[in-house]
Amino acid sequence: MNTSLNWIKSLVPGIENVTDEAYRDAMTLSGTKVECFERLDKNLEKIVTGRIVSVERHPDADKLVVCQVDVGESEPVQIVTGAPNVHPGDSGQSVVVVLDGGRVAGGHDGEAPPENGIKIKKGKLRGVESFGMMCALEELGADKDLFPEDPGDGIYIFPDEQEPGSDALALLGLDDTIFEYEITNNRVDCYSVLGVAREAAATFGKEFIPPQVPETGNGEKASDYVNVEVKDGDLCSRYCARVVKNVNIATSPEWLKRRLRACGIRPINNIVDITNFVMEEYGQPMHAFDYDTIAGKKIIVERAKDGETFVTLDGNERKLDNDILMICDGEKQIGIAGIMGGENSMITDDVKTLVFESATFDGTNIRKSAKRLSMRTDASGKFEKGLDPETALEAINRACALVEELGAGEVVGGVIDIYPEPVSKRRIKWEPESYNKLLGTDIDEETMKGYLKPLEIELDETAGELIIPTFRQDLIRGADIAEEIARFYGYDKIPVTLPVGTSLSGAIGGISFDERVKTTVMETAEGEGFSQILTYSFESPKVFDKLLMPESAPLRKTVVISNPLGEDFSIMRTLPVNGMLTSLATNFNRRAPEAKLYELARVYIPGEDPEKLPDERTQLTLGSYGEGDFFDMKGVLENITDALGMDGKLTFAAPDTDYGREAAGDIHAYPFLHPGRQAVLVYNKAVIGYMGQVHPLVCETYGLSADAYIAVIDINTLQEKEMVSFEEKYTGIANFPAVTRDISLVAAKDVPAAVIEDIIEAEAKGLLEECSLFDLYEGEQIEEGKRSLAYNIRFRSKEKTLSDEDINPLMDAIFAKLEENGFELRK
Amino acid sequence: MKERLKELTESTVGKIKAAVDAAALNEIRVAILGKKGELTAILKGMKDVPPEEKPEMGRIVNEAREAIETALKTAGDRIKNIELEKRLKEEVIDVTLPGKKNKKGHRHPNRIALEEVEKIFIGMGYEVVHGPEVEYDYYNFEALNIPADHPAKDEQDTFYINDKIVLRTQTSPVQVRVMEKGKIPIRMIAPGRVFRADEVDATHSPCFHQIEGMVIDEGITFADLKGTLEVFAKKLFGENVALKFRPHHFPFTEPSAEVDVTCFKCGGKGCRMCKGEGWIEILGCGMIHPKVLERCNVDTSKYSGFAFGIGLERIALLKYEIDDMRLLYENDVRFLGQF
């Protein structure tokens, strides 16, 4: 929403001297936020109206002429110009003159105007002195399109004669500042000059003087000219029509053109200009039909039928549907209600009689229709906010008053007004105490009343009720009134306190357990050299192909966005791997020699019922390339589970192996991981995640020419199964010495080391302190397909010093069990 | 005998003093005091000394032994010192050689900013809660006083899953979920991901983060909201920042405000960061709309509350002077390593 400050000032006497900056600040603080403002004359200095007295040829230049221009001083000034619309022998034209030492906004070379304009100094042109310049519109920083009388090439010449020396900028409307506001969608009334002016009056404590609209019309009756029927009243709560005959199309007076230009509207002719002016002034769009094109002297408001087409006044054919409201006459459609009129009924310069329409259409319907037709017009932009039906009549009467004032035609008496359910003024209980209670203020009643009066909110003292004007449909209850009071009291004056509250019970801050789990994971990952990343929650369904997932993979069932930004953002991820691989690849492509990254974010697993929310699971994803291998990644995972107090048994189960199946049940390999270098993480018999080297083909797809490793832990599983504990208990330091034994054995390569460790642990009968692999060998001395493993086993008792008698039976048992399982001992 | 002892003592002490390292010293010790040492031999010869001379001889021998042992001890200390000196000299290192670091990872700046915000509110007794990111239309809109045909639903460019389910466009639905539990008083913040159909550019991302805040209790006022946010802004941006509360409109608060802080880079004079305005908008807030409270069965005759919503990326960008939002989601290690 833009307005001219001059226009606002003309409606609020007493703020003439308010500066642009002060206006901006005050309006913003009272709730009409000023986004920015533009002073039209910021680079215009020493500019006056001049009258050309004489024009002579330049003695030494064909394209230049020497003019004597009366600028209201005792002597005319001499100005040399090359403007194509000034000819030798001309005189009497009123022009815009910038005097010696003045400043203009820019040149007429089509370049963007310089920040501080251009200084104009007297000088000689081909030997003839020139004491200023006659200006073209672009030199004044004005938009030529808004001045239909301008020749387009050459200096600006006023259509009427002007007094030499008078203020040219005021005549052109360039002594103004245009303000752009951010109007919130609850303040429909402020999408109009009158609405903003009312706010300005309340803000500055001055009176708001709306335009006086006299009675208009001759002795005839509009209803004798045309009959209106609203068939679809649900989409049109009010329809007003008036008739103007003997229409006299002409240009509008300068004051009217100035107002329109300030709104960025090109003046056309008096009738079009009046409807545009009233739309800006009242926020009420209007339309004018050529009465003689209306068949059957009838206007019918009804829905279109699916599949119909209609040619709007811009000449385009539009496809209609049953939700689009149309204005029709006795035979045909003549306009799309609230959006655009029809070519078949538009007014032309030959119009004799016209019908003004000022109606209230349903905002939501207009918004949706305009969107479907993809033709958001100035009118639909206003209607879609949901207009006050009361304004429809005020606006049409204002338009007719302007018709009379401008001599644009003869207004026919009476108004056709189809308004079956007039809106009534809402009443809200007057509760000054509760307003103070909500705001934390101590504003007295009289002051409050003083704030509400300029807003035209009346107080019915006997009923103890506020009467709300119909244009304020946003005021419904006490809290809304409190805001009105707060706005004009000043948000800045409201005290600054902290909540005391009844008690803190139920509202004790602190880090929750779940938050602590996440923080611990993050700290540990960072300690291991991994940096945190953020990736999008949505991705492309093609990700599954990139990850080599089979068509039948359950994770391919996703939550699908029905209106995505594009296919790349169209499904909610069910696994976090793509984001990680993409980030690793980004770094690889930017030549980072290594990267270690982690993300803690959600995946979204859809349930059976599409009307229910998906299962959102927080997962930790680790990824790396360039440094470290599978076992480094495994170590990181072990440190993380350790930090989470997970003291139970953590198993890394390779899918498709007997050991893996025994540990983790029926698990399948992840297709995006190396088939022989991946493991499912099993903690106390429950699957909590997976890890592995990224499959070489997947690396290739992502453009990652390095070995990469990935690990995922489902944090929700840890929480659901209560695996995490931050309870630590001191268990004493072992007082008795440890006994260590080394064993060495040979086993088939495909027998997991974990099998050996499980046997040692089981047979050590609780005396095992640690069992660590210290040598792993395969090669010359070892039979093909086998490998040798050497373990250091450390026993310790809390009760006594262990002797050979204690250990030997355990070792014998271990040996026996190992042999029983086919291991060849190297004693 | 006496003479021999004296001579032995003197020559030995002389040798001891001349010894230059621990090995030489040890050689002397063995030669004199060892099993087959000279003094040991003399001691062994004591049995042949006549009984009347024994006390006298014993004293002399002991004296000789003490003298030698003392000399050995002194020389031992001296040599140990020499050897220590020598070792320390040899062990001199170039302390300017590079340190050996365990490469630590870095936390994402968004998360660091979030933790700063969380700490401030936790300190004021707030609890951190979370809600679903894929949310019912009801919680995201209807319960927040945004009816089906409200233009706000268009403006926010919502991603829809189906008629009933959306990607939440704000963290405000968590307010409703917490209120519905019916436990009052409430002091909570709810950080999390939100989604809007904005194309990616330097200041927009279709996926970003907000931090919702809400307090409900008896007698909560707009003044309390101002005070709370002032504490927050000063803790986060420094004691010198000033706040400006501008009236605004949100469907789920009334009265509503947008809050600007004085630009912490230029102090309000106007610079590139604040686009010359001296103020930077950081959040939206207001008193919770009575309709929202009533819908969640909160007794509005007894309780009132305030709520606010902070854009996390905005805070992170401002605080760390990051000039392009895309950097937050690119995950370049050269970017991440700066935090």
Side-chain angles (χ1 to χ4, degrees):
Chain A
M1 174 72 196
N2 293 5
T3 71
S4 128
L5 185 57
N6 284 355
W7 195 346
I8 300 295
K9 283 180 174 178
S10 74
L11 296 162
V12 187
I15 63 165
E16 293 82 359
N17 297 325
V18 172
T19 63
D20 296 339
E21 288 78 10
Y23 179 81
R24 172 195 64 195
D25 294 347
M27 291 298 279
T28 296
L29 283 180
S30 71
T32 311
K33 192 191 176 195
V34 172
E35 289 279 16
C36 57
F37 64 84
E38 193 196 353
R39 198 170 292 152
L40 299 181
D41 58 359
K42 70 170 175 165
N43 284 327
L44 303 178
E45 276 176 61
K46 292 184 85 170
I47 291 172
V48 296
T49 307
R51 186 164 60 213
I52 295 176
V53 179
S54 67
V55 182
E56 285 168 17
R57 290 189 187 283
H58 189 288
D60 294 319
D62 289 347
K63 289 194 172 161
L64 296 178
V65 290
V66 182
C67 313
Q68 302 302 322
V69 183
D70 178 359
V71 293
E73 284 164 20
S74 51
E75 295 290 318
V77 292
Q78 177 169 297
I79 294 172
V80 179
T81 181
N85 58 342
V86 182
H87 310 286
D90 281 356
S91 71
Q93 294 95 331
S94 290
V95 295
V96 183
V97 175
V98 54
L99 300 171
D100 176 30
R103 188 187 294 275
V104 294
H108 53 82
D109 48 9
E111 300 275 312
E115 179 66 28
N116 296 315
I118 297 167
K119 188 109 181 150
I120 300 298
K121 280 186 248 166
K122 66 178 177 190
K124 281 185 180 170
L125 278 95
R126 288 283 184 97
V128 179
E129 285 201 300
S130 182
F131 297 89
M133 184 175 85
M134 294 186 285
C135 302
L137 288 169
E138 60 264 40
E139 285 163 337
L140 298 169
D143 181 357
K144 280 188 167 183
D145 285 345
L146 301 180
F147 295 83
E149 68 275 20
D150 187 68
D153 191 13
I155 60 164
Y156 180 76
I157 297 173
F158 285 103
D160 305 311
E161 196 170 305
Q162 305 294 342
E163 182 64 27
S166 60
D167 185 348
L169 298 183
L171 289 169
L172 293 168
L174 296 176
D175 60 339
D176 203 350
T177 305
I178 307 303
F179 278 80
E180 187 184 333
Y181 311 88
E182 182 200 345
I183 304 291
T184 53
N185 58 35
N186 59 325
R187 291 304 302 275
V188 183
D189 60 309
C190 285
Y191 288 98
S192 70
V193 172
L194 295 183
V196 173
R198 190 184 293 110
E199 283 289 319
T203 302
F204 290 97
K206 304 290 180 193
E207 202 178 345
F208 166 54
I209 312 279
Q212 296 307 301
V213 182
E215 288 273 323
T216 46
N218 58 18
E220 294 177 279
K221 269 184 163 170
S223 53
D224 292 337
Y225 281 72
V226 66
N227 175 32
V228 177
E229 186 188 352
V230 177
K231 284 190 175 165
D232 288 310
D234 56 327
L235 299 183
C236 175
S237 53
R238 188 174 199 178
Y239 194 99
C240 301
R242 294 196 69 174
V243 177
V244 177
K245 65 178 195 178
N246 300 326
V247 175
N248 172 27
I249 295 286
T251 52
S252 300
E254 286 302 316
W255 71 263
L256 179 53
K257 289 201 266 186
R258 276 200 291 274
R259 292 289 187 242
L260 292 178
R261 281 190 217 116
C263 302
I265 299 172
R266 178 180 164 96
I268 309 284
N269 61 46
N270 48 8
I271 295 298
V272 175
D273 291 354
I274 284 169
T275 58
N276 281 334
F277 177 84
V278 171
M279 177 164 81
E280 293 301 316
E281 193 177 39
Y282 283 82
Q284 169 71 50
M286 289 183 54
H287 189 69
F289 298 101
D290 185 337
Y291 175 75
D292 294 319
T293 66
I294 298 175
K297 308 306 164 207
K298 242 181 167 170
I299 288 176
I300 299 161
V301 183
E302 64 178 346
R303 284 177 164 88
K305 290 185 186 70
D306 285 336
E308 287 179 319
T309 57
F310 179 70
V311 180
T312 43
L313 53 77
D314 56 7
N316 291 322
E317 190 181 83
R318 311 287 178 175
K319 276 209 176 87
L320 306 177
D321 61 54
N322 189 238
D323 285 319
I324 293 173
L325 191 67
M326 300 298 292
I327 310 299
C328 310
D329 63 16
E331 294 167 357
K332 60 187 183 295
Q333 291 162 331
I334 57 172
I336 304 177
I339 299 175
M340 196 179 273
E343 198 175 38
N344 56 13
S345 61
M346 63 191 267
I347 57 164
T348 59
D349 288 353
D350 305 325
V351 67
K352 307 248 172 356
T353 306
L354 63 79
V355 178
F356 274 136
E357 164 199 284
S358 177
T360 312
F361 300 115
D362 179 72
T364 305
N365 175 266
I366 296 290
R367 177 163 55 90
K368 290 183 169 171
S369 296
K371 208 169 178 182
R372 277 202 311 284
L373 293 163
S374 40
M375 49 186 306
R376 202 168 177 274
T377 58
D378 286 347
S380 78
K382 300 271 185 197
F383 279 119
E384 69 180 32
K385 311 280 190 284
L387 299 180
D388 174 17
E390 293 294 312
T391 315
L393 183 64
E394 290 169 26
I396 204 167
N397 287 338
R398 169 69 165 158
C400 289
L402 287 169
V403 167
E404 289 192 352
E405 187 183 327
L406 270 53
E410 184 182 346
V411 178
V412 172
V415 184
I416 297 156
D417 186 5
I418 312 297
Y419 190 26
E421 290 170 49
V423 294
S424 54
K425 290 187 177 181
R426 184 179 287 120
R427 285 174 168 259
I428 301 176
K429 219 170 152 208
W430 169 239
E431 298 167 305
E433 257 178 58
S434 80
Y435 311 145
N436 274 327
K437 201 179 156 210
L438 186 65
L439 297 174
T441 49
D442 192 17
I443 307 169
D444 64 66
E445 277 193 38
E446 287 311 308
T447 309
M448 288 186 186
K449 287 182 205 166
Y451 296 141
L452 298 178
K453 195 163 172 279
L455 301 175
E456 298 172 33
I457 299 169
E458 291 168 52
L459 175 59
D460 178 345
E461 300 264 8
T462 40
E465 286 173 340
L466 293 166
I467 305 167
I468 310 300
T470 55
F471 58 80
R472 291 300 306 272
Q473 289 299 318
D474 60 310
L475 302 182
I476 295 165
R477 36 165 100 214
D480 302 319
I481 301 301
E483 181 174 78
E484 296 307 290
I485 290 163
R487 290 201 293 132
F488 293 102
Y489 177 72
Y491 275 24
D492 53 332
K493 278 196 252 159
I494 293 174
V496 174
T497 57
L498 283 174
V500 178
T502 47
S503 78
L504 284 175
S505 62
I508 302 296
I511 298 271
S512 68
F513 186 82
D514 289 357
E515 282 298 300
R516 191 167 166 197
V517 170
K518 286 183 212 161
T519 316
T520 305
V521 165
M522 287 162 55
E523 280 165 359
T524 314
E526 285 156 21
E528 295 287 344
F530 288 75
S531 292
Q532 191 182 22
I533 63 167
L534 279 181
T535 66
Y536 287 155
S537 305
F538 27 59
E539 54 196 19
S540 164
K542 290 195 179 119
V543 161
F544 298 115
D545 300 332
K546 286 171 85 176
L547 296 177
L548 310 174
M549 307 275 282
E551 287 302 328
S552 60
L555 289 176
R556 277 188 183 257
K557 191 179 172 235
T558 61
V559 175
V560 180
I561 299 167
S562 64
N563 58 334
L565 280 181
E567 200 200 17
D568 284 353
F569 301 127
S570 63
I571 58 155
M572 300 303 283
R573 62 182 177 190
T574 51
L575 76 173
V577 174
N578 173 62
M580 177 56 73
L581 287 174
T582 307
S583 297
L584 289 175
T586 299
N587 283 291
F588 182 82
N589 290 329
R590 294 179 182 180
R591 298 179 194 287
E594 57 171 299
K596 287 183 176 174
L597 307 173
Y598 81 91
E599 181 173 32
L600 202 53
R602 299 186 193 180
V603 295
Y604 311 82
I605 312 295
E608 288 301 313
D609 184 351
E611 308 235 308
K612 291 263 162 60
L613 298 183
D615 183 14
E616 295 183 19
R617 307 192 68 81
T618 300
Q619 298 192 332
L620 167 71
T621 312
L622 296 152
S624 73
Y625 73 83
E627 197 185 67
D629 60 14
F630 184 94
F631 298 102
D632 288 289
M633 187 61 98
K634 180 172 169 180
V636 172
L637 295 176
E638 286 169 337
N639 274 343
I640 288 171
T641 51
D642 196 39
L644 292 173
M646 294 165 66
D647 300 330
K649 188 165 174 57
L650 178 67
T651 310
F652 289 77
D656 305 327
T657 63
D658 292 341
Y659 183 79
R661 269 187 288 275
E662 198 179 310
D666 193 17
I667 50 168
H668 299 284
Y670 286 85
F672 48 84
L673 296 177
H674 189 304
R677 294 186 173 184
Q678 61 169 295
V680 172
L681 271 66
V682 183
Y683 180 76
N684 289 350
K685 310 235 157 176
V687 172
I688 59 165
Y690 51 91
M691 68 162 296
Q693 182 176 337
V694 181
H695 196 292
L697 285 179
V698 174
C699 276
E700 200 178 303
T701 307
Y702 281 87
L704 194 51
S705 322
D707 288 350
Y709 297 88
I710 264 190
V712 176
I713 295 180
D714 188 278
I715 301 294
N716 279 43
T717 302
L718 308 188
Q719 290 164 337
E720 286 155 8
K721 297 196 187 289
E722 296 179 359
M723 292 169 170
V724 178
S725 165
F726 297 112
E727 300 290 324
E728 301 289 1
K729 291 275 189 286
Y730 173 62
T731 56
I733 294 168
N735 280 323
F736 301 98
V739 176
T740 61
R741 296 289 163 88
D742 289 349
I743 64 166
S744 175
L745 45 85
V746 174
K749 269 190 203 172
D750 60 2
V751 175
V755 171
I756 300 164
E757 288 159 25
D758 288 349
I759 289 171
I760 293 170
E761 194 185 334
E763 300 303 325
K765 307 273 187 275
L767 291 176
L768 182 72
E769 187 172 73
E770 199 179 313
C771 166
S772 58
L773 180 74
F774 70 88
D775 188 46
L776 179 67
Y777 177 78
E778 46 192 85
E780 274 179 33
Q781 286 93 0
I782 305 291
E783 202 181 317
E784 180 77 18
K786 293 195 172 177
R787 59 180 180 172
S788 140
L789 302 104
Y791 282 91
N792 178 276
I793 306 170
R794 195 162 74 229
F795 299 94
R796 197 193 294 270
S797 162
K798 278 182 184 169
E799 278 106 36
K800 60 172 188 171
T801 300
L802 294 173
S803 63
D804 281 354
E805 287 78 61
D806 296 314
I807 300 303
N808 289 344
L810 298 180
M811 286 305 293
D812 289 346
I814 290 170
F815 289 143
K817 198 80 185 176
L818 288 172
E819 272 173 341
E820 196 183 308
N821 279 276
F823 294 100
E824 180 190 323
L825 293 163
R826 292 157 52 117
K827 290 182 188 167
Chain B
M1 182 83 171
K2 239 186 189 171
E3 290 305 308
R4 222 183 108 203
L5 261 177
K6 197 180 169 206
E7 200 179 300
L8 180 66
T9 307
E10 274 170 12
S11 74
T12 304
V13 169
K15 278 186 208 155
I16 287 171
K17 281 187 176 158
V20 291
D21 58 25
L25 208 58
N26 202 41
E27 238 169 65
I28 298 165
R29 183 197 307 276
V30 173
I32 308 299
L33 298 175
K35 267 184 187 167
K36 289 174 181 166
E38 287 182 56
L39 192 65
T40 313
I42 291 172
L43 276 170
K44 279 180 185 161
M46 279 288 287
K47 63 180 191 297
D48 302 330
V49 175
E52 66 277 8
E53 285 177 29
K54 267 192 181 166
E56 170 67 5
M57 276 308 289
R59 188 184 53 82
I60 294 169
V61 170
N62 273 335
E63 272 173 12
R65 188 156 84 178
E66 268 170 36
I68 290 167
E69 280 181 348
T70 307
L72 274 172
K73 168 94 174 58
T74 310
D77 288 350
R78 175 177 55 83
I79 285 166
K80 206 173 157 192
N81 261 328
I82 291 167
E83 287 185 344
L84 180 65
E85 288 291 322
K86 191 176 156 219
R87 180 184 150 197
L88 292 178
K89 253 185 205 139
E90 281 168 3
E91 285 178 353
V92 166
I93 55 162
D94 176 0
V95 297
T96 66
L97 287 174
K100 291 174 190 166
K101 273 183 280 193
N102 175 21
K103 270 192 201 161
K104 225 180 144 316
H106 299 265
R107 200 158 290 187
H108 195 281
N110 235 21
R111 175 74 198 187
I112 302 173
L114 171 61
E115 285 173 2
E116 287 215 36
V117 174
E118 284 184 348
K119 269 181 214 155
I120 295 167
F121 285 105
I122 287 168
M124 292 195 277
Y126 288 60
E127 206 177 338
V128 181
V129 297
H130 295 276
E133 293 166 10
V134 182
E135 181 59 284
Y136 290 114
D137 181 279
Y138 172 81
Y139 285 105
N140 196 71
F141 293 118
E142 207 181 321
L144 291 165
N145 202 23
I146 309 172
D149 283 326
H150 198 279
K153 282 182 91 164
D154 266 6
E155 279 168 28
Q156 290 185 340
D157 297 320
T158 312
F159 287 120
Y160 282 88
I161 304 301
N162 55 42
D163 287 349
K164 287 200 174 136
I165 298 175
V166 301
L167 300 191
R168 67 175 176 189
T169 60
Q170 47 194 358
T171 41
S172 308
V174 186
Q175 282 185 32
V176 181
R177 287 181 172 273
V178 172
M179 270 188 260
E180 274 184 348
K181 288 186 182 154
K183 273 171 74 183
I184 296 175
I186 297 166
R187 289 184 185 203
M188 64 127 215
I189 56 169
R193 274 183 192 219
V194 300
F195 306 88
R196 289 187 198 175
D198 286 323
E199 293 287 347
V200 180
D201 67 24
T203 53
H204 292 92
S205 166
C207 170
F208 59 103
H209 296 74
Q210 282 187 342
I211 308 164
E212 194 75 12
M214 175 171 77
V215 169
I216 299 179
D217 205 336
E218 288 178 30
I220 296 297
T221 67
F222 194 87
D224 294 335
L225 170 62
K226 279 185 71 179
T228 301
L229 292 176
E230 194 163 301
V231 168
F232 160 70
K234 284 180 187 283
K235 288 245 186 242
L236 191 66
F237 295 118
E239 284 300 316
N240 294 328
V241 302
L243 274 73
K244 183 162 80 181
F245 284 74
R246 285 183 284 102
H248 198 73
H249 170 70
F250 301 109
F252 37 94
T253 51
E254 188 78 27
S256 307
E258 276 187 339
V259 180
D260 301 339
V261 292
T262 41
C263 177
F264 29 86
K265 187 140 196 222
C266 65
K269 287 196 285 287
C271 66
R272 236 188 62 180
M273 193 158 166
C274 56
K275 297 191 186 85
E277 289 183 358
W279 294 94
I280 295 176
E281 184 189 320
I282 57 160
L283 59 87
C285 63
M287 302 303 292
I288 303 170
H289 199 290
K291 252 177 143 170
V292 175
L293 293 171
E294 281 161 14
R295 208 187 277 264
C296 297
N297 295 319
V298 176
D299 180 358
T300 49
S301 66
K302 192 172 173 195
Y303 296 111
S304 57
F306 62 70
F308 52 86
I310 305 166
L312 178 59
E313 274 78 0
R314 187 157 177 78
I315 300 285
L317 296 188
L318 290 171
K319 210 167 157 51
Y320 307 118
E321 300 186 14
I322 301 166
D323 53 8
D324 192 326
M325 194 155 159
R326 284 169 288 207
L327 287 166
L328 296 176
Y329 288 87
E330 260 176 20
N331 304 317
D332 190 316
V333 288
R334 293 166 298 179
F335 170 79
L336 298 172
Q338 295 182 27
F339 302 94

